[in-house]
């Protein structure tokens, strides 16, 4: 197989602690070590960009929703479907692209997806009606899903065990910034142009990222490891993955944790501003602080805990903290402690969000550790499950109207308890420890 462009240090097997076998490790300070480090940083940035593109596509557009409603003379509910269409496309697109990447390699489906993304986003710039905008937002989501699913599959191709967990934590640092800065970028774009300019900016970002992928992200799945079957073979592969109790347990646990995060994102603007009377600037500050907490704990997980604490222990601790934070939020929002005000509620949300830095990377790592033979299909199932469960949980936060934050806390608690139950009941980490020993 031609050289993939990745350094030898990245392609050789790793031990459980993430260290490469001593005989194959270049001497400290050697040119090989420096090249490996540069290549590793470059791959990290490329994969981080791919995972950040879907949040940018969703969140840069948020400040423009009222303008779109006025410009296209469409009801607000219809314009809201442009968000739903993009989210649905991201969920379903992963089921298509994941098996494709297992059959044809990572590079070809990714480049095709990026080209289609550019085309769909460019059409959105000129969309004359809300219905056409909805259709091409769906196509945009379907194509943008390629970046999410293939980025995870590439990580699985390159890394094993603790090294994979470290890499996922690093990706969280990059991709976690995207939802924070995306509305800010969108707002600044609206200062100099209209809502169509946001899609123009996304088109340019898509072109640049496609060029970077074409030049620097080489194939990571050797031909000998690819699947040769068609749709039937892909479906059988996915059925086999879902039949793996432990894989499915990690998948559902991670998806339910992600749903708790989705509940926060959906409800927090209303809860913080309408119920607790905070200004938009205060809300933006709190949202940024919570995102920083998630990213910081993700880095603690990757830089400090991995290799010293088992992934299941870190995951179990993270889920326990999410459950406790959800219980505290439910007690506070339901009035058990009286009128507690914004600060205690914001603290509970900060703890809950920060603990996601332990839950998200470790569920992905543990699930993908079991699926070397079908990383693309496994990544597709992980991503689709997260988006679908998150999309179901998100509307429930407003089910009781605008006068209470209790539904948000209830959804978060149910998701957190469900995630913990799946982790303990299906993954059974104590049995895995016994098996390894």
């Amino acid at each position: 197989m031609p050289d993939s462009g990745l350094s030898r240090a990245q392609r050789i097997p790793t031990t459980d602690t993430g260290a490469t076998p001593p005989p194959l490790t270049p001497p400290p300070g050697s040119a090989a070590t420096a090249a490996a480090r540069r290549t590793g940083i470059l791959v990290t940035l490329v994969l981080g960009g791919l995972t950040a593109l879907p949040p940018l596509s969703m969140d840069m557009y948020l400040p423009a929703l009222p303008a779109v409603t006025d410009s296209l003379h469409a009801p607000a509910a219809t314009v809201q479907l442009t968000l739903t269409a993009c989210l649905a496309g991201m969920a379903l697109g992963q089921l298509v692209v994941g098996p494709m990447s297992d059959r044809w390699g990572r590079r070809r489906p990714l480049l095709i997806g990026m080209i289609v993304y550019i085309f769909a986003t460019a059409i959105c710039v000129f969309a004359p009606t809300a219905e056409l905008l909805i259709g091409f937002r769906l196509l945009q989501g379907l194509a943008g899903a390629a970046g999410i699913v293939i980025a995870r599959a590439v990580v699985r191709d390159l890394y094993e065990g603790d090294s994979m967990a470290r890499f996922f934590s690093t990706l969280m640092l990059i991709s976690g910034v995207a939802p924070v800065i995306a509305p800010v970028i969108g707002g600044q774009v609206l200062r100099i142009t209209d809502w169509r300019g946001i899609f123009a900016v996304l088109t340019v970002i898509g072109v640049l990222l496609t060029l970077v992928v074409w030049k620097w992200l080489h194939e990571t799945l050797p031909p000998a490891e690819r699947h040769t079957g068609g749709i039937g073979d892909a479906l059988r592969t996915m059925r086999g993955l879902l039949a793996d109790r432990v894989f499915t347990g990690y998948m559902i646990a991670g998806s339910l944790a992600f749903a708790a995060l989705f509940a926060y994102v959906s409800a927090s603007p209303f809860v913080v501003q309408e119920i607790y009377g905070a200004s938009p600037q205060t809300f933006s500050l709190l949202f940024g602080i919570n995102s920083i907490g998630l990213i910081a704990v993700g880095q603690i997980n990757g830089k400090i805990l991995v290799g010293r604490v088992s992934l299941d222990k870190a995951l179990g601790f993270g889920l326990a903290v999410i459950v406790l934070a959800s219980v505290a939020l439910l007690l506070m929002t339901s009035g058990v402690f009286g009128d507690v005000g914004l600060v205690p509620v914001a603290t509970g949300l900060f703890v809950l969000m920060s603990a996601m830095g332990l839950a998200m990377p470790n569920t992905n790592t543990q699930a993908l550790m079991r699926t070397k033979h079908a990383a693309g299909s496994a990544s597709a199932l992980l991503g689709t499950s997260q988006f679908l469960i998150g999309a179901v949980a998100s509307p429930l936060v407003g089910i009781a109207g605008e006068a209470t934050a209790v539904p948000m806390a209830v959804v978060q608690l149910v998701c957190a308890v469900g995630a913990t139950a799946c982790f303990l009941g299906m993954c059974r980490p104590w049995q895995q420890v016994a098996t390894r020993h």
Side-chain angles (χ1 to χ4, degrees):
M1 175 185 177
D3 185 20
S4 66
L6 299 167
S7 66
R8 185 185 186 195
Q10 283 179 284
R11 286 188 274 114
I12 57 179
T14 57
T15 64
D16 287 340
T17 61
T20 55
L24 298 178
T25 305
S30 69
T33 301
R37 188 178 297 115
R38 287 195 300 271
T39 304
I41 293 173
L42 182 59
V43 170
T44 302
L45 292 175
V46 173
L47 297 183
L50 290 173
T51 55
L53 185 60
L56 286 175
S57 302
M58 289 288 295
D59 296 343
M60 275 182 65
Y61 177 64
L62 293 178
L65 284 176
V68 176
T69 301
D70 295 337
S71 173
L72 299 181
H73 307 291
T78 301
V79 174
Q80 196 74 24
L81 289 177
T82 61
L83 294 175
T84 305
C86 188
L87 183 63
M90 289 178 190
L92 299 177
Q94 296 184 62
L95 290 177
V96 177
V97 178
M100 286 174 59
S101 73
D102 283 336
R103 182 177 184 183
W104 291 307
R106 314 302 184 202
R107 183 175 164 84
R108 192 191 313 175
L110 176 57
L111 288 172
I112 292 173
M114 293 301 299
I115 291 170
V116 174
Y117 173 89
I118 293 169
F119 169 77
T121 307
I123 293 295
C124 289
V125 176
F126 305 101
T129 66
E131 290 74 19
L132 189 61
L133 183 60
I134 291 170
F136 279 95
R137 284 283 280 174
L138 176 64
L139 183 60
Q140 184 191 41
L142 287 167
I148 307 174
V149 66
I150 291 180
R152 273 195 301 260
V154 168
V155 174
R156 182 64 187 94
D157 293 338
L158 298 180
Y159 296 96
E160 295 278 352
D162 291 344
S163 296
M164 196 195 313
R166 291 192 183 97
F167 199 94
F168 274 127
S169 295
T170 303
L171 277 187
M172 182 173 288
L173 174 63
I174 300 172
S175 61
V177 173
V180 180
I181 66 172
V184 177
I185 296 174
Q188 295 305 309
V189 171
L190 290 175
R191 292 171 63 91
I192 59 176
T193 183
D194 62 6
W195 63 270
R196 298 180 188 275
I198 293 177
F199 289 108
V201 172
L202 287 171
T203 301
V204 173
I205 293 173
V207 170
L208 294 176
L209 190 54
T210 301
L211 292 175
V212 169
V213 168
W214 177 75
K215 183 172 179 61
W216 282 298
L217 187 65
H218 300 281
E219 185 56 63
T220 60
L221 184 67
E225 297 181 12
R226 297 176 190 175
H227 294 194
T228 57
I231 296 177
D233 183 65
L235 293 175
R236 283 190 293 272
T237 298
M238 288 188 174
R239 187 172 64 230
L241 290 170
L242 292 174
D244 180 350
R245 170 179 50 79
V246 178
F247 170 83
T248 303
Y250 284 121
M251 180 187 74
I252 298 176
S255 298
L256 287 171
F258 190 70
L261 186 151
F262 249 56
Y264 159 76
V265 172
S266 300
S268 59
F270 165 72
V271 170
V272 173
Q273 296 180 77
E274 299 298 327
I275 296 180
Y276 290 98
S279 66
Q281 292 74 26
T282 300
F283 165 73
S284 299
L285 177 62
L286 293 176
F287 194 91
I289 291 173
N290 290 344
S291 299
I292 291 171
L294 186 153
I295 294 168
V297 173
Q299 292 309 291
I300 291 172
N301 178 71
K303 305 298 184 184
I304 299 176
L305 299 182
V306 171
R308 295 178 174 88
V309 178
S310 75
L311 299 183
D312 278 331
K313 286 183 179 178
L315 171 57
F317 180 78
L319 291 176
V321 172
I322 293 172
V323 170
L324 292 175
S326 300
V327 170
L329 285 168
L330 180 58
L331 294 175
M332 287 187 287
T333 56
S334 61
V336 172
F337 301 127
D339 186 7
V340 297
L342 177 60
V343 172
V345 172
T347 302
L349 290 172
F350 173 78
V351 172
L352 184 144
M353 282 289 289
S354 298
M356 294 291 175
L358 294 176
M360 300 307 299
N362 290 329
T363 50
N364 284 335
T365 300
Q366 291 291 66
L368 289 173
M369 275 289 290
R370 304 179 64 83
T371 60
K372 179 66 174 176
H373 63 291
S377 296
S379 178
L381 289 172
L382 289 171
T384 300
S385 174
Q386 288 177 359
F387 275 95
L388 289 181
I389 294 178
V392 170
S394 182
L396 298 178
V397 298
I399 199 170
E402 301 180 357
T404 175
V406 170
M408 178 194 72
V410 170
V411 170
Q412 290 172 330
L413 180 58
V414 169
C415 290
V417 171
T420 305
C422 286
F423 173 59
L424 296 176
M426 299 178 70
C427 303
R428 301 174 189 173
W430 59 89
Q431 290 184 352
Q432 298 181 61
V433 171
T435 300
R436 285 194 292 266
H437 288 79

